[in-house]
Amino acid sequence: MKEILLDKPSLSQYKSLGSYLQSFSDITQIDALYYSLSGVLVHHDHVYTDEQQIQLQLDIHEFINYTIFPVILDYKFSGFILCNSAKISQQRIKLSKDYITNIFEEVFDNESEHGVHTSVLNSLNTQEFNHINYLSILLKISPQYHNFDETNSNPVAEHLENDYTESFTSLKKANDYVVKNITKPLSLNEVSNRVYLSPSYLSRLFKKYLNITFIDYINHLKIAKAKELLALSTRPVNIIATDVGFSQTSYFTKTFKKMAGTTPSLFRRRHAATTKIFTIPHVVSWNEEDTVFDVSKRYFKDKKIDFFYQTANDFLYVNSIDGLTDSTENRGWLFTVDGNQPTESANQVEVDSIAEIQWIYTDLNRL
């Protein structure tokens, strides 16, 4: 962990704040943390400055349940107090503001050699926090944004320059949330709220970084999951529609035919001999120059799944995945991108504008 080099607040003040916040949580049963604009997190009587450690403490999927209080120190916007309000009434959260204010006055006024003006503002609603996040993204990605004080470095800007831009980071969180919850009904509004972005801006980010619209991305992944269930189970089509988050079987069938080029029932008959399917969703870590082979190799390596291949005359042939190999019964692996089977080999198909890849182990003569 990197050393804290802050003139104000000091490390001792952060530690003292952590002790007070731990006592606050013990008494009120409200989990509280403080995140400063200088990139410091105080939580559970600990002070964190390492970005990875901070991310472990901040679960974005639970973040929507937090009440957020802006904090003013020395007449400057300093950071946020976040109180987990998932199981706490809003009345109790509002009453806790006075307690938190007293904590900051004790740490930064009474304990300081020179008194520091402290103030905890009223909590932000979701829309207000969305606007703050949206503005920060615009400033950081705008070519007109400059550091006007070249002599005094900005620790917040330095912290962000060493990481992805916030827009990319927010998209990654949205991307991860969609992949994790693909079997649930998902809307642009819901996902954007999860990462504190406006729906229109999140939609533009999907198009910019994944080269696909949000709704097409969702539908491709849902249909890919439906293909797995159709080929590998006997569940009725209407039940599978519900399993992948469609409220109406008719709309599911229409979407399936649009994405797969066939009906769910016909797809099931064609894939009666299929015994294994791996689905690889497009994630923001894919590079523009990646091929199906590149992302597949990384995916199976991360999952610790055996992935064997050979090449002949520049044509790459995958002959074994997870112990399933080509056989004399004409069983083998084929891959599809967004439901289509390319004629090129996996190392020749670029993936910059596709939603998903599927590796299918089946009887190749029956397709």
Side-chain angles (χ1 to χ4, degrees):
M1 183 178 295
K2 63 184 179 183
E3 181 181 3
I4 300 176
L5 299 173
L6 297 172
D7 295 329
K8 189 189 295 184
S10 66
L11 176 57
S12 63
Q13 287 174 319
Y14 277 130
K15 289 182 176 179
S16 180
L17 176 62
S19 179
Y20 277 110
L21 287 179
Q22 183 62 59
S23 298
F24 167 80
S25 297
D26 292 340
I27 294 171
T28 64
Q29 300 302 302
I30 299 174
D31 185 30
L33 55 88
Y34 172 68
Y35 182 74
S36 79
L37 296 186
S38 58
V40 176
L41 178 73
V42 181
H43 190 213
H44 286 167
D45 207 12
H46 292 285
V47 179
Y48 301 92
T49 59
D50 180 78
E51 183 176 340
Q52 292 185 346
Q53 291 297 320
I54 290 174
Q55 290 178 354
L56 289 175
Q57 298 297 315
L58 295 174
D59 185 351
I60 189 64
H61 301 314
E62 297 296 331
F63 201 67
I64 197 170
N65 295 319
Y66 279 84
T67 300
I68 304 168
F69 297 97
V71 176
I72 305 298
L73 293 179
D74 199 18
Y75 300 99
K76 297 178 182 178
F77 179 36
S78 172
F80 300 95
I81 281 284
L82 299 95
C83 293
N84 192 329
S85 53
K87 299 180 181 179
I88 306 297
S89 69
Q90 286 300 306
Q91 185 63 26
R92 284 188 61 196
I93 291 292
K94 290 179 180 178
L95 291 174
S96 69
K97 177 194 167 188
D98 291 337
Y99 194 145
I100 294 169
T101 300
N102 291 335
I103 289 175
F104 274 84
E105 289 177 348
E106 182 66 27
V107 173
F108 297 106
D109 192 349
N110 298 340
E111 291 187 3
S112 300
E113 182 178 351
H114 304 289
V116 176
H117 171 78
T118 63
S119 178
V120 177
L121 306 183
N122 292 332
S123 61
L124 300 173
N125 59 40
T126 301
Q127 184 178 16
E128 290 169 335
F129 194 81
N130 282 346
H131 287 313
I132 291 176
N133 194 40
Y134 185 42
L135 176 61
S136 69
I137 292 170
L138 289 178
L139 289 175
K140 282 188 282 292
I141 66 176
S142 170
Q144 284 76 38
Y145 177 69
H146 301 284
N147 182 0
F148 293 103
D149 188 354
E150 298 294 342
T151 59
N152 297 319
S153 62
N154 183 337
V156 181
E158 290 175 355
H159 173 73
L160 290 170
E161 286 172 0
N162 292 330
D163 194 10
Y164 296 114
T165 63
E166 189 169 344
S167 59
F168 188 90
T169 303
S170 296
L171 176 61
K172 183 181 184 305
K173 292 172 181 176
N175 190 186
D176 291 344
Y177 179 78
V178 167
V179 171
K180 183 178 179 180
N181 296 276
I182 195 60
T183 58
K184 301 177 181 178
L186 293 171
S187 68
L188 181 59
N189 285 337
E190 178 205 350
V191 177
S192 62
N193 283 336
R194 287 279 177 174
V195 295
Y196 296 96
L197 295 178
S198 71
S200 60
Y201 189 68
L202 179 60
S203 178
R204 291 199 297 273
L205 289 179
F206 259 86
K207 187 64 177 176
K208 176 180 179 181
Y209 286 104
L210 273 68
N211 292 314
I212 189 171
T213 65
F214 177 86
I215 187 63
D216 280 349
Y217 181 75
I218 295 290
N219 283 337
H220 272 299
L221 263 59
K222 286 185 177 295
I223 297 307
K225 182 63 179 178
K227 289 177 181 178
E228 294 180 25
L229 296 173
L230 286 165
L232 306 177
S233 78
T234 58
R235 295 174 70 78
V237 171
N238 63 319
I239 300 299
I240 290 177
T242 303
D243 288 343
V244 296
F246 284 86
S247 58
Q248 296 180 337
T249 304
S250 59
Y251 182 62
F252 164 73
T253 301
K254 179 180 179 181
T255 304
F256 191 98
K257 189 172 183 179
K258 176 183 177 182
M259 297 290 176
T262 185
T263 65
S265 298
L266 183 55
F267 178 88
R268 167 170 274 169
R269 289 197 295 272
R270 287 177 176 174
H271 286 266
T274 296
T275 55
K276 190 73 174 181
I277 298 178
F278 288 104
T279 301
I280 307 176
H282 191 156
V283 292
V284 295
S285 59
W286 288 10
N287 300 315
E288 289 184 0
E289 66 275 10
D290 275 341
T291 65
V292 168
F293 171 70
D294 295 325
V295 298
S296 298
K297 187 177 180 181
R298 290 199 301 267
Y299 175 85
F300 290 117
K301 181 179 180 180
D302 290 343
K303 299 291 184 181
K304 295 180 170 56
I305 295 173
D306 293 335
F307 180 70
F308 296 105
Y309 55 91
Q310 61 189 41
T311 57
N313 299 323
D314 294 328
F315 191 92
L316 184 141
Y317 173 67
V318 174
N319 55 7
S320 179
I321 303 175
D322 199 24
L324 296 174
T325 64
D326 51 351
S327 67
T328 55
E329 290 81 18
N330 296 312
R331 300 188 64 80
W333 289 98
L334 61 84
F335 73 92
T336 63
V337 293
D338 290 348
N340 299 309
Q341 185 178 354
T343 57
E344 303 93 340
S345 64
N347 62 329
Q348 297 172 327
V349 180
E350 296 182 350
V351 297
D352 62 321
S353 60
I354 69 170
E356 48 83 15
I357 301 165
Q358 286 192 311
W359 285 94
I360 303 170
Y361 188 70
T362 189
D363 184 339
L364 302 178
N365 285 343
R366 296 188 59 172
L367 297 179

